[in-house]
Amino acid sequence: MSRLAARFSTPLYVYSAATIRDRFRAFDAAFGDLPHTICYSIKANSSLSILRLLSKLGAGFDVVSGGELERVRRVHRHALANVVFSGVGKTAAEIDAALRARILLFNVESESELALLTSRAARLKKTARIALRVNPHVPAETHPYISTGLREHKFGIPIEDAPALYARAAREKFLQVAGVSVHIGSQITSLEPFALTVERLAELVRTLRSNGHRIIYVDAGGGLGIAYKAEDCGQQAVSAGEVSKEADSRAYGAVDDFRSYAGAVQRPLRGLNVHLILEPGRVLLGPAGVLLTRVLYLKRNGDKRFVVLDAGMNDLIRPALYNAYHEIVPAKLPAGDQRSTSADLFDIVGPVCETGDFFARDRRLPQVAEGDLLAVLDAGAYGMSLASNYNSRPRPAEVLVDGARSSLVRRRETAADLVRCERT
């Protein structure tokens, strides 16, 4: 890790290709012979190199914007055939692009969207294969910002309203009713909400089939979480150099958890003869990445102690946005260095001009010095994809490590990049 930081500077996102492959294959194997397609949720990490890696493994893709659809096209145009398009605010231009791409499935989220899709499909004379994303009213124990399955959320159609809307869609020449869809939230670490959700989906499938609809696909969404805290999986935090080999044992979504999740999702679907679509994101990518950052300053304000890093909330916003927890460890201790954990509590903060610019508060660390390299673990998902240029800070570079090879897959932005699209 220190060599990567020296070569590419910091802040720096580093991803393990081996971890991504291992986790995808384990997730895929958990569903056995059940017909299924894993549509990776691009919003978790939209790096073209990672999308290409997943595409080679046989992944489809879950997109929520025209920009994400274009990323799939750039990876491989044939991958468009395994795209599901979700999201509550699809524009006419985005719908047209997806129709022309002949994607697998539109997950329709409102009556108005259905009307727009109907008109655009008729205008282009292209058939849109659809599922309605239904809201099953299932609570998920997660942060309220990433819970999506209750009545008060903006997502989906109330499940009790779905049969009438399916009947309306079935009358349209250029719409093909083909499935049902759901997604109840993100970073869910209990299996019960998933099981209850799919039970309600299965009942809807039976109702729709009795009404004459040919339902082929059940899209169960994503949302399976990972363990960001080492104690949640009974282990101490690992060093950044061990991330790729230890990621599966640290994460909640390890192989055994994949199988348990698969069982919870599959059981309600027995006998329905459907093709299952899954939309994992964080559970595949989260443990595969770290954010490398260097200590700029150690600072004391009265009794309060700070570790000031060169990475900020613009690089990784999850702690500021969700009060999310990430393990933060030395990237590498010098040989023979047996630093003890300091008795002091530190706020680990960045250089952005916001009090909310922090990675951890009141955290104990191994004794650190100015210039030391730290690694923020489990940063492979919702890290770079949520990064911004706030304070006119260039976004970090990204590196993909595959065995002994390290490839720069996104260069660090420059000051010129920040103003490239502007006019004075």
Tab-separated table of all heavy atoms in Angstrom, residues 340-392:
chain	number	residue	atom	x	y	z
A	340	SER	N	1.615	0.724	20.209
A	340	SER	CA	0.410	0.425	20.973
A	340	SER	C	-0.685	1.398	20.587
A	340	SER	O	-0.434	2.453	20.004
A	340	SER	CB	0.700	0.536	22.470
A	340	SER	OG	1.102	1.863	22.795
A	341	THR	N	-1.914	1.022	20.929
A	341	THR	CA	-3.028	1.924	20.692
A	341	THR	C	-2.982	3.038	21.719
A	341	THR	O	-2.816	2.803	22.916
A	341	THR	CB	-4.361	1.166	20.795
A	341	THR	OG1	-4.392	0.182	19.769
A	341	THR	CG2	-5.538	2.099	20.618
A	342	SER	N	-3.120	4.261	21.238
A	342	SER	CA	-3.062	5.407	22.127
A	342	SER	C	-4.215	5.378	23.120
A	342	SER	O	-5.314	4.917	22.808
A	342	SER	CB	-3.122	6.698	21.298
A	342	SER	OG	-3.268	7.818	22.143
A	343	ALA	N	-3.961	5.878	24.306
A	343	ALA	CA	-5.029	5.986	25.300
A	343	ALA	C	-5.950	7.157	24.981
A	343	ALA	O	-7.049	7.262	25.522
A	343	ALA	CB	-4.434	6.158	26.689
A	344	ASP	N	-5.490	8.038	24.118
A	344	ASP	CA	-6.282	9.218	23.776
A	344	ASP	C	-7.341	8.895	22.734
A	344	ASP	O	-7.186	7.979	21.915
A	344	ASP	CB	-5.369	10.328	23.237
A	344	ASP	CG	-4.420	10.847	24.296
A	344	ASP	OD1	-4.893	11.197	25.398
A	344	ASP	OD2	-3.201	10.893	24.025
A	345	LEU	N	-8.411	9.677	22.757
A	345	LEU	CA	-9.451	9.610	21.738
A	345	LEU	C	-9.225	10.732	20.733
A	345	LEU	O	-8.930	11.872	21.114
A	345	LEU	CB	-10.834	9.744	22.371
A	345	LEU	CG	-11.242	8.628	23.345
A	345	LEU	CD1	-12.586	8.958	23.975
A	345	LEU	CD2	-11.307	7.294	22.629
A	346	PHE	N	-9.373	10.402	19.449
A	346	PHE	CA	-9.135	11.370	18.394
A	346	PHE	C	-10.390	11.563	17.551
A	346	PHE	O	-11.151	10.610	17.323
A	346	PHE	CB	-8.017	10.890	17.456
A	346	PHE	CG	-6.667	10.782	18.094
A	346	PHE	CD1	-6.260	9.604	18.705
A	346	PHE	CD2	-5.790	11.858	18.086
A	346	PHE	CE1	-5.014	9.487	19.284
A	346	PHE	CE2	-4.535	11.753	18.671
A	346	PHE	CZ	-4.141	10.564	19.273
A	347	ASP	N	-10.573	12.761	17.058
A	347	ASP	CA	-11.463	12.986	15.925
A	347	ASP	C	-10.589	12.917	14.680
A	347	ASP	O	-9.577	13.634	14.585
A	347	ASP	CB	-12.144	14.354	16.000
A	347	ASP	CG	-13.335	14.361	16.943
A	347	ASP	OD1	-13.482	13.397	17.711
A	347	ASP	OD2	-14.094	15.346	16.915
A	348	ILE	N	-10.957	12.050	13.746
A	348	ILE	CA	-10.184	11.886	12.516
A	348	ILE	C	-10.921	12.671	11.440
A	348	ILE	O	-12.051	12.329	11.063
A	348	ILE	CB	-10.062	10.401	12.145
A	348	ILE	CG1	-9.442	9.625	13.323
A	348	ILE	CG2	-9.198	10.223	10.895
A	348	ILE	CD1	-9.470	8.121	13.165
A	349	VAL	N	-10.307	13.739	10.974
A	349	VAL	CA	-11.006	14.738	10.167
A	349	VAL	C	-10.247	15.038	8.880
A	349	VAL	O	-9.089	14.648	8.719
A	349	VAL	CB	-11.214	16.041	10.973
A	349	VAL	CG1	-11.990	15.766	12.258
A	349	VAL	CG2	-9.869	16.703	11.298
A	350	GLY	N	-10.942	15.735	7.973
A	350	GLY	CA	-10.334	16.133	6.718
A	350	GLY	C	-10.128	17.629	6.638
A	350	GLY	O	-10.402	18.361	7.598
A	351	PRO	N	-9.692	18.137	5.474
A	351	PRO	CA	-9.364	19.554	5.311
A	351	PRO	C	-10.517	20.421	4.820
A	351	PRO	O	-10.337	21.634	4.637
A	351	PRO	CB	-8.252	19.510	4.260
A	351	PRO	CG	-8.613	18.328	3.409
A	351	PRO	CD	-9.258	17.329	4.327
A	352	VAL	N	-11.693	19.816	4.586
A	352	VAL	CA	-12.821	20.570	4.031
A	352	VAL	C	-13.379	21.536	5.076
A	352	VAL	O	-13.433	21.218	6.269
A	352	VAL	CB	-13.919	19.603	3.535
A	352	VAL	CG1	-15.176	20.349	3.110
A	352	VAL	CG2	-13.390	18.768	2.371
A	353	CYS	N	-13.814	22.686	4.638
A	353	CYS	CA	-14.298	23.732	5.549
A	353	CYS	C	-15.732	23.466	5.978
A	353	CYS	O	-16.672	24.196	5.620
A	353	CYS	CB	-14.167	25.102	4.895
A	353	CYS	SG	-12.458	25.654	4.782
A	354	GLU	N	-15.934	22.383	6.693
A	354	GLU	CA	-17.216	21.998	7.283
A	354	GLU	C	-16.926	21.261	8.585
A	354	GLU	O	-16.052	20.395	8.625
A	354	GLU	CB	-18.005	21.053	6.360
A	354	GLU	CG	-18.446	21.637	5.040
A	354	GLU	CD	-19.656	22.549	5.173
A	354	GLU	OE1	-20.293	22.551	6.256
A	354	GLU	OE2	-19.948	23.263	4.201
A	355	THR	N	-17.675	21.562	9.632
A	355	THR	CA	-17.533	20.811	10.873
A	355	THR	C	-17.913	19.351	10.662
A	355	THR	O	-17.416	18.451	11.352
A	355	THR	CB	-18.410	21.438	11.974
A	355	THR	OG1	-18.038	22.804	12.137
A	355	THR	CG2	-18.241	20.719	13.305
A	356	GLY	N	-18.782	19.101	9.690
A	356	GLY	CA	-19.184	17.731	9.373
A	356	GLY	C	-18.149	16.945	8.603
A	356	GLY	O	-18.394	15.782	8.260
A	357	ASP	N	-16.996	17.541	8.336
A	357	ASP	CA	-15.942	16.850	7.585
A	357	ASP	C	-15.137	15.970	8.543
A	357	ASP	O	-14.094	16.369	9.052
A	357	ASP	CB	-15.028	17.869	6.908
A	357	ASP	CG	-13.887	17.227	6.140
A	357	ASP	OD1	-14.074	16.081	5.670
A	357	ASP	OD2	-12.814	17.845	6.021
A	358	PHE	N	-15.657	14.777	8.799
A	358	PHE	CA	-14.972	13.850	9.693
A	358	PHE	C	-15.138	12.424	9.178
A	358	PHE	O	-16.094	12.101	8.480
A	358	PHE	CB	-15.530	13.959	11.126
A	358	PHE	CG	-16.955	13.505	11.258
A	358	PHE	CD1	-17.261	12.176	11.550
A	358	PHE	CD2	-18.000	14.395	11.071
A	358	PHE	CE1	-18.574	11.752	11.660
A	358	PHE	CE2	-19.319	13.974	11.167
A	358	PHE	CZ	-19.605	12.659	11.465
A	359	PHE	N	-14.195	11.572	9.545
A	359	PHE	CA	-14.274	10.140	9.259
A	359	PHE	C	-14.598	9.342	10.518
A	359	PHE	O	-15.134	8.242	10.436
A	359	PHE	CB	-12.968	9.641	8.651
A	359	PHE	CG	-12.698	10.216	7.286
A	359	PHE	CD1	-11.773	11.236	7.117
A	359	PHE	CD2	-13.379	9.759	6.173
A	359	PHE	CE1	-11.529	11.775	5.863
A	359	PHE	CE2	-13.140	10.286	4.918
A	359	PHE	CZ	-12.211	11.309	4.755
A	360	ALA	N	-14.233	9.881	11.661
A	360	ALA	CA	-14.533	9.215	12.932
A	360	ALA	C	-14.419	10.242	14.039
A	360	ALA	O	-13.614	11.179	13.969
A	360	ALA	CB	-13.572	8.061	13.184
A	361	ARG	N	-15.231	10.040	15.073
A	361	ARG	CA	-15.155	10.896	16.254
A	361	ARG	C	-14.874	10.035	17.475
A	361	ARG	O	-15.401	8.935	17.607
A	361	ARG	CB	-16.462	11.684	16.427
A	361	ARG	CG	-16.587	12.822	15.424
A	361	ARG	CD	-17.876	13.577	15.605
A	361	ARG	NE	-17.836	14.854	14.874
A	361	ARG	CZ	-18.898	15.455	14.360
A	361	ARG	NH1	-20.099	14.919	14.513
A	361	ARG	NH2	-18.774	16.602	13.723
A	362	ASP	N	-14.026	10.563	18.351
A	362	ASP	CA	-13.683	9.868	19.593
A	362	ASP	C	-13.257	8.429	19.318
A	362	ASP	O	-13.761	7.484	19.899
A	362	ASP	CB	-14.869	9.902	20.563
A	362	ASP	CG	-15.186	11.312	21.022
A	362	ASP	OD1	-14.242	12.109	21.158
A	362	ASP	OD2	-16.376	11.616	21.249
A	363	ARG	N	-12.299	8.297	18.399
A	363	ARG	CA	-11.796	6.985	17.990
A	363	ARG	C	-10.377	6.795	18.548
A	363	ARG	O	-9.546	7.716	18.468
A	363	ARG	CB	-11.773	6.899	16.454
A	363	ARG	CG	-11.336	5.555	15.882
A	363	ARG	CD	-12.442	4.540	15.908
A	363	ARG	NE	-13.574	4.916	15.065
A	363	ARG	CZ	-13.674	4.653	13.757
A	363	ARG	NH1	-12.707	3.995	13.143
A	363	ARG	NH2	-14.758	5.019	13.089
A	364	ARG	N	-10.101	5.602	19.062
A	364	ARG	CA	-8.733	5.265	19.466
A	364	ARG	C	-7.974	4.737	18.257
A	364	ARG	O	-8.515	3.983	17.462
A	364	ARG	CB	-8.743	4.232	20.587
A	364	ARG	CG	-9.080	4.844	21.947
A	364	ARG	CD	-8.855	3.868	23.088
A	364	ARG	NE	-8.964	4.558	24.371
A	364	ARG	CZ	-10.116	4.785	24.992
A	364	ARG	NH1	-11.253	4.362	24.459
A	364	ARG	NH2	-10.128	5.434	26.147
A	365	LEU	N	-6.715	5.131	18.150
A	365	LEU	CA	-5.862	4.712	17.045
A	365	LEU	C	-4.536	4.200	17.577
A	365	LEU	O	-4.096	4.626	18.649
A	365	LEU	CB	-5.555	5.906	16.124
A	365	LEU	CG	-6.605	6.385	15.140
A	365	LEU	CD1	-6.083	7.631	14.437
A	365	LEU	CD2	-6.927	5.313	14.121
A	366	PRO	N	-3.894	3.295	16.821
A	366	PRO	CA	-2.478	3.065	17.111
A	366	PRO	C	-1.755	4.400	17.020
A	366	PRO	O	-2.139	5.269	16.220
A	366	PRO	CB	-2.037	2.110	16.001
A	366	PRO	CG	-3.302	1.430	15.576
A	366	PRO	CD	-4.378	2.464	15.715
A	367	GLN	N	-0.735	4.590	17.818
A	367	GLN	CA	-0.053	5.878	17.839
A	367	GLN	C	0.425	6.241	16.434
A	367	GLN	O	1.106	5.458	15.787
A	367	GLN	CB	1.110	5.837	18.824
A	367	GLN	CG	0.641	5.704	20.263
A	367	GLN	CD	1.789	5.535	21.232
A	367	GLN	OE1	2.933	5.315	20.839
A	367	GLN	NE2	1.487	5.617	22.526
A	368	VAL	N	0.038	7.425	15.983
A	368	VAL	CA	0.349	7.859	14.620
A	368	VAL	C	1.186	9.126	14.673
A	368	VAL	O	1.182	9.863	15.664
A	368	VAL	CB	-0.926	8.095	13.789
A	368	VAL	CG1	-1.696	6.808	13.603
A	368	VAL	CG2	-1.812	9.172	14.423
A	369	ALA	N	1.879	9.361	13.574
A	369	ALA	CA	2.704	10.557	13.452
A	369	ALA	C	2.342	11.269	12.160
A	369	ALA	O	1.761	10.683	11.235
A	369	ALA	CB	4.183	10.170	13.445
A	370	GLU	N	2.646	12.543	12.103
A	370	GLU	CA	2.429	13.295	10.872
A	370	GLU	C	3.218	12.648	9.739
A	370	GLU	O	4.377	12.275	9.899
A	370	GLU	CB	2.832	14.753	11.077
A	370	GLU	CG	1.928	15.476	12.066
A	370	GLU	CD	2.340	16.913	12.338
A	370	GLU	OE1	3.387	17.349	11.799
A	370	GLU	OE2	1.622	17.606	13.080
A	371	GLY	N	2.539	12.480	8.602
A	371	GLY	CA	3.154	11.811	7.457
A	371	GLY	C	2.797	10.348	7.347
A	371	GLY	O	3.046	9.731	6.301
A	372	ASP	N	2.224	9.756	8.404
A	372	ASP	CA	1.831	8.343	8.341
A	372	ASP	C	0.696	8.139	7.343
A	372	ASP	O	-0.114	9.037	7.090
A	372	ASP	CB	1.368	7.849	9.717
A	372	ASP	CG	2.529	7.511	10.635
A	372	ASP	OD1	3.683	7.639	10.201
A	372	ASP	OD2	2.256	7.128	11.794
A	373	LEU	N	0.641	6.924	6.813
A	373	LEU	CA	-0.389	6.546	5.849
A	373	LEU	C	-1.451	5.715	6.565
A	373	LEU	O	-1.130	4.720	7.230
A	373	LEU	CB	0.241	5.742	4.718
A	373	LEU	CG	-0.581	5.452	3.468
A	373	LEU	CD1	-0.909	6.740	2.737
A	373	LEU	CD2	0.178	4.501	2.545
A	374	LEU	N	-2.714	6.106	6.440
A	374	LEU	CA	-3.834	5.370	7.018
A	374	LEU	C	-4.716	4.830	5.903
A	374	LEU	O	-4.724	5.356	4.783
A	374	LEU	CB	-4.662	6.267	7.933
A	374	LEU	CG	-3.957	6.878	9.147
A	374	LEU	CD1	-4.937	7.714	9.969
A	374	LEU	CD2	-3.313	5.807	10.008
A	375	ALA	N	-5.451	3.787	6.237
A	375	ALA	CA	-6.395	3.198	5.283
A	375	ALA	C	-7.783	3.192	5.900
A	375	ALA	O	-7.975	2.711	7.019
A	375	ALA	CB	-5.974	1.775	4.927
A	376	VAL	N	-8.743	3.736	5.176
A	376	VAL	CA	-10.149	3.665	5.551
A	376	VAL	C	-10.705	2.422	4.864
A	376	VAL	O	-10.745	2.350	3.632
A	376	VAL	CB	-10.914	4.927	5.112
A	376	VAL	CG1	-12.368	4.861	5.588
A	376	VAL	CG2	-10.231	6.186	5.651
A	377	LEU	N	-11.128	1.437	5.663
A	377	LEU	CA	-11.509	0.142	5.110
A	377	LEU	C	-12.958	0.119	4.620
A	377	LEU	O	-13.763	0.991	4.940
A	377	LEU	CB	-11.306	-0.951	6.159
A	377	LEU	CG	-9.906	-1.088	6.758
A	377	LEU	CD1	-9.842	-2.302	7.676
A	377	LEU	CD2	-8.830	-1.178	5.679
A	378	ASP	N	-13.258	-0.923	3.834
A	378	ASP	CA	-14.613	-1.166	3.317
A	378	ASP	C	-15.150	0.053	2.569
A	378	ASP	O	-16.312	0.428	2.715
A	378	ASP	CB	-15.569	-1.558	4.452
A	378	ASP	CG	-15.142	-2.838	5.143
A	378	ASP	OD1	-14.846	-3.814	4.441
A	378	ASP	OD2	-15.084	-2.859	6.378
A	379	ALA	N	-14.301	0.641	1.750
A	379	ALA	CA	-14.655	1.864	1.029
A	379	ALA	C	-14.881	1.609	-0.457
A	379	ALA	O	-14.905	2.556	-1.249
A	379	ALA	CB	-13.559	2.916	1.215
A	380	GLY	N	-15.080	0.346	-0.832
A	380	GLY	CA	-15.252	0.033	-2.252
A	380	GLY	C	-16.598	0.415	-2.811
A	380	GLY	O	-16.763	0.513	-4.029
A	381	ALA	N	-17.594	0.612	-1.939
A	381	ALA	CA	-18.935	0.974	-2.389
A	381	ALA	C	-19.352	2.298	-1.759
A	381	ALA	O	-19.072	2.543	-0.585
A	381	ALA	CB	-19.944	-0.114	-2.004
A	382	TYR	N	-20.010	3.117	-2.545
A	382	TYR	CA	-20.499	4.428	-2.099
A	382	TYR	C	-19.365	5.286	-1.543
A	382	TYR	O	-19.543	6.046	-0.597
A	382	TYR	CB	-21.641	4.261	-1.079
A	382	TYR	CG	-22.785	3.478	-1.663
A	382	TYR	CD1	-22.990	2.148	-1.309
A	382	TYR	CD2	-23.620	4.053	-2.610
A	382	TYR	CE1	-24.021	1.410	-1.870
A	382	TYR	CE2	-24.649	3.333	-3.182
A	382	TYR	CZ	-24.844	2.009	-2.807
A	382	TYR	OH	-25.853	1.279	-3.384
A	383	GLY	N	-18.204	5.138	-2.132
A	383	GLY	CA	-17.068	5.987	-1.835
A	383	GLY	C	-16.860	6.950	-2.985
A	383	GLY	O	-17.375	8.064	-2.994
A	384	MET	N	-16.135	6.466	-4.003
A	384	MET	CA	-15.876	7.307	-5.165
A	384	MET	C	-17.163	7.684	-5.898
A	384	MET	O	-17.272	8.772	-6.467
A	384	MET	CB	-14.915	6.587	-6.120
A	384	MET	CG	-14.423	7.458	-7.256
A	384	MET	SD	-13.473	8.890	-6.683
A	384	MET	CE	-12.955	9.571	-8.253
A	385	SER	N	-18.165	6.809	-5.868
A	385	SER	CA	-19.397	7.118	-6.595
A	385	SER	C	-20.165	8.282	-5.974
A	385	SER	O	-21.005	8.903	-6.625
A	385	SER	CB	-20.309	5.880	-6.676
A	385	SER	OG	-20.744	5.483	-5.386
A	386	LEU	N	-19.880	8.617	-4.710
A	386	LEU	CA	-20.500	9.761	-4.052
A	386	LEU	C	-19.539	10.937	-3.898
A	386	LEU	O	-19.888	11.946	-3.278
A	386	LEU	CB	-21.013	9.357	-2.659
A	386	LEU	CG	-22.313	8.567	-2.606
A	386	LEU	CD1	-22.537	8.011	-1.194
A	386	LEU	CD2	-23.492	9.439	-3.004
A	387	ALA	N	-18.336	10.819	-4.455
A	387	ALA	CA	-17.338	11.877	-4.311
A	387	ALA	C	-17.750	13.124	-5.081
A	387	ALA	O	-18.490	13.056	-6.066
A	387	ALA	CB	-15.972	11.381	-4.784
A	388	SER	N	-17.256	14.266	-4.627
A	388	SER	CA	-17.602	15.546	-5.260
A	388	SER	C	-16.370	16.432	-5.337
A	388	SER	O	-15.288	16.083	-4.859
A	388	SER	CB	-18.700	16.253	-4.449
A	388	SER	OG	-18.152	16.837	-3.267
A	389	ASN	N	-16.564	17.599	-5.914
A	389	ASN	CA	-15.497	18.598	-6.011
A	389	ASN	C	-15.704	19.742	-5.030
A	389	ASN	O	-15.205	20.851	-5.244
A	389	ASN	CB	-15.413	19.157	-7.435
A	389	ASN	CG	-14.977	18.136	-8.446
A	389	ASN	OD1	-15.670	17.893	-9.436
A	389	ASN	ND2	-13.831	17.508	-8.228
A	390	TYR	N	-16.429	19.477	-3.941
A	390	TYR	CA	-16.679	20.538	-2.968
A	390	TYR	C	-15.364	21.145	-2.490
A	390	TYR	O	-14.368	20.449	-2.324
A	390	TYR	CB	-17.463	19.968	-1.783
A	390	TYR	CG	-17.884	21.006	-0.777
A	390	TYR	CD1	-18.518	22.179	-1.184
A	390	TYR	CD2	-17.640	20.826	0.575
A	390	TYR	CE1	-18.899	23.133	-0.265
A	390	TYR	CE2	-18.025	21.778	1.506
A	390	TYR	CZ	-18.655	22.932	1.081
A	390	TYR	OH	-19.035	23.891	1.990
A	391	ASN	N	-15.368	22.457	-2.249
A	391	ASN	CA	-14.173	23.248	-1.960
A	391	ASN	C	-13.209	23.257	-3.139
A	391	ASN	O	-12.013	23.519	-2.963
A	391	ASN	CB	-13.446	22.731	-0.710
A	391	ASN	CG	-14.062	23.200	0.598
A	391	ASN	OD1	-13.490	23.007	1.661
A	391	ASN	ND2	-15.231	23.806	0.560
A	392	SER	N	-13.727	22.950	-4.350
A	392	SER	CA	-12.885	22.861	-5.553
A	392	SER	C	-11.688	21.933	-5.326
A	392	SER	O	-10.550	22.227	-5.702
A	392	SER	CB	-12.416	24.249	-6.000
A	392	SER	OG	-13.495	24.997	-6.526
